[in-house]
Amino acid sequence: MCKKLLGFLVFIFLITSCKSTKSSRKLIKNVTSSFYKNQFTGIYIYDVAADKVVYNYQGEKYFTPASNAKIFTLFAGLKLLPDSIPAFKYAINKDTIIIKGMGDPTFLHPFFKDSTALKMIKNFKKVHLIVDNISDKRYGPGWAWEDFDSYFSPEKSAFPMYGNVVTLHNENGLNVAPQFFKKDLKITEKGYGREERRNNFYFSKNRTRETEIPMIIDSLLITNLWNDIAPNKVAIIKESNIHPATTAYSIPKDSLFKRMMEVSDNFLAEQILILASSTLSDTLSSSKVRKHILENQLKDLQQKPRWVDGSGLSRYNLFSPISFVEVLTKLYKEIPEERLFHFFPVGGASGTLKNWFSGNPTPYIHAKSGTLGNNYNLSGYLITKSGKVLIFSFMNNHYLHANNAVKEKMQTTFEWLRDTY
């Protein structure tokens, strides 16, 4: 009886091994076809329940991640930030409130419209702001200089306002936020943007789409914006004899993380790292956070990444597919699935994946995309028809194909995994 049972188990093992080998051959054929000949490709797939690597093709190589870097930013935010976002620190001296910025991006933001600071100052005669407690430069290393007035490239700062952008909308009349810029806005026949070194904006009278154009942030502008909403009340100071030590909080952190991941918001990503640094030091520094996370919570990564910004705008970033899968696995094991998947765009349903990787009708991809010129990556979670959760990273760099052609090839692989694994 024991011999029969042993023989049966060996038979099952051989069948399973055969199927696994065929699966690997199928995947190898997909990602080594002539389509991929003149580009760099890496794919790493992990079965979390079985604790098994399903497939690895150059998973240990380094790639330009683009916005896949936001997965590491999400990890840092989840590890270091409290349940609600720390908006600022403050102290009170008679009729004066002293406020120190902590990097919260939600104050008067076009999407969040947080007004915590406005509510706080209304009962005080004077407001003293400290906004120079940041070591980050306005742009990240390796950002393209010509993106200075592009919606995806707002400046970083210690006390953002309005998302550090001017929001323009010309449907049913011109709307400008903040109103401070309306008097100086130049209306043109076509085009939109800003002068490179000055906050002089222009906008086409025929453009109906809502448009965001980054501001140049400095102390004078911050003072003017504050006094526009709280006249003759606010002044920028370098330091105070009374140290702001009490923290005011704004929105739930999960709301911030979801928005950052769903629409791939670069500004929110950068500010999340700056916010996280406020838990480590009085000086805001995103580089301190990256260093802290890599040396502590992620010290066991097989390949240490070159992680230079929170958004992935920089081409100096270098990450491997294995590293993304390892971080995604940590998140999957530590956070309930429903909450975790809520952060990620859903294939065919939401955010940056709304038009791709649809399950028809059941969604099966929860993942973060990353796009730069000639680069497209996707890392996240794939749910197979058999109910298994596969954690994957599929990275494509330095190709001359159209982005859609790359996505079509990836979709074929993902659908095959969904249907056969």
Side-chain angles (χ1 to χ4, degrees), residues 161-215:
M161 301 177 69
Y162 303 98
N164 286 355
V165 296
V166 176
T167 303
L168 303 163
H169 191 243
N170 202 20
E171 188 174 13
N172 301 320
L174 179 64
N175 293 291
V176 183
Q179 284 282 310
F180 174 80
F181 290 105
K182 188 170 185 178
K183 64 183 183 302
D184 298 319
L185 178 68
K186 183 179 179 181
I187 302 300
T188 59
E189 290 295 324
K190 61 180 180 179
Y192 61 92
R194 191 201 79 215
E195 289 185 19
E196 183 179 347
R197 293 180 174 87
R198 300 178 65 187
N199 278 319
N200 290 340
F201 299 86
Y202 58 94
F203 191 66
S204 170
K205 64 181 181 180
N206 300 314
R207 185 174 176 82
T208 58
R209 182 177 177 180
E210 185 173 274
T211 303
E212 295 178 350
I213 305 173
M215 312 171 190

Side-chain angles (χ1 to χ4, degrees), residues 27 42-57 59 68 71-72 74-75 261 301-302 320-337 340-341 344 364-368 378-384 386-395 410 413-414 417-418 421:
L27 282 169
I43 182 168
Y44 192 78
I45 305 169
Y46 174 67
D47 182 336
V48 65
D51 187 21
K52 179 178 72 173
V53 177
V54 175
Y55 183 67
N56 177 15
Y57 177 73
N68 269 201
I71 293 170
F72 274 63
L74 173 67
F75 182 87
M261 295 289 284
L301 293 182
Q302 293 183 54
S320 71
I322 288 177
S323 291
F324 281 121
V325 169
E326 287 178 333
V327 170
L328 289 164
T329 301
K330 286 177 183 289
L331 291 173
Y332 188 81
K333 290 180 177 180
E334 295 170 6
I335 298 174
E337 186 178 288
L340 177 60
F341 285 3
F344 287 81
Y364 73 105
I365 292 281
H366 303 263
K368 183 73 197 74
L378 193 69
S379 301
Y381 307 95
L382 184 154
I383 314 300
T384 71
S386 64
K388 293 181 172 64
V389 176
L390 299 180
I391 303 178
F392 71 89
S393 181
F394 196 154
M395 307 188 74
M410 294 172 71
T413 299
F414 291 142
L417 280 166
R418 176 199 61 189
Y421 187 81

Side-chain angles (χ1 to χ4, degrees), residues 61-101:
K61 304 293 186 183
Y62 285 94
F63 293 82
T64 301
S67 284
N68 269 201
K70 292 183 175 76
I71 293 170
F72 274 63
T73 299
L74 173 67
F75 182 87
L78 286 165
K79 287 294 182 183
L80 296 178
L81 289 173
D83 290 341
S84 292
I85 295 300
F88 50 86
K89 288 185 177 180
Y90 68 95
I92 296 170
N93 181 23
K94 299 179 181 178
D95 63 352
T96 301
I97 183 169
I98 303 102
I99 293 177
K100 179 188 283 188

Side-chain angles (χ1 to χ4, degrees), residues 243-280:
H243 180 66
T246 305
T247 302
Y249 297 89
S250 58
I251 68 169
K253 70 177 181 182
D254 282 12
S255 300
L256 181 60
F257 297 159
K258 178 175 173 58
R259 180 69 179 175
M260 182 262 291
M261 295 289 284
E262 189 168 75
V263 301
S264 200
D265 192 302
N266 295 327
F267 174 67
L268 297 184
E270 298 300 336
Q271 294 298 141
I272 284 170
L273 288 190
I274 291 170
L275 268 170
S277 76
S278 72
T279 68
L280 303 176

Side-chain angles (χ1 to χ4, degrees), residues 348-386:
S350 66
T352 55
L353 300 187
K354 186 174 183 179
N355 299 318
W356 284 94
F357 314 115
S358 172
N360 293 325
T362 304
Y364 73 105
I365 292 281
H366 303 263
K368 183 73 197 74
S369 60
T371 309
L372 284 172
N374 313 108
N375 293 269
Y376 184 79
N377 313 299
L378 193 69
S379 301
Y381 307 95
L382 184 154
I383 314 300
T384 71
K385 285 188 174 180
S386 64

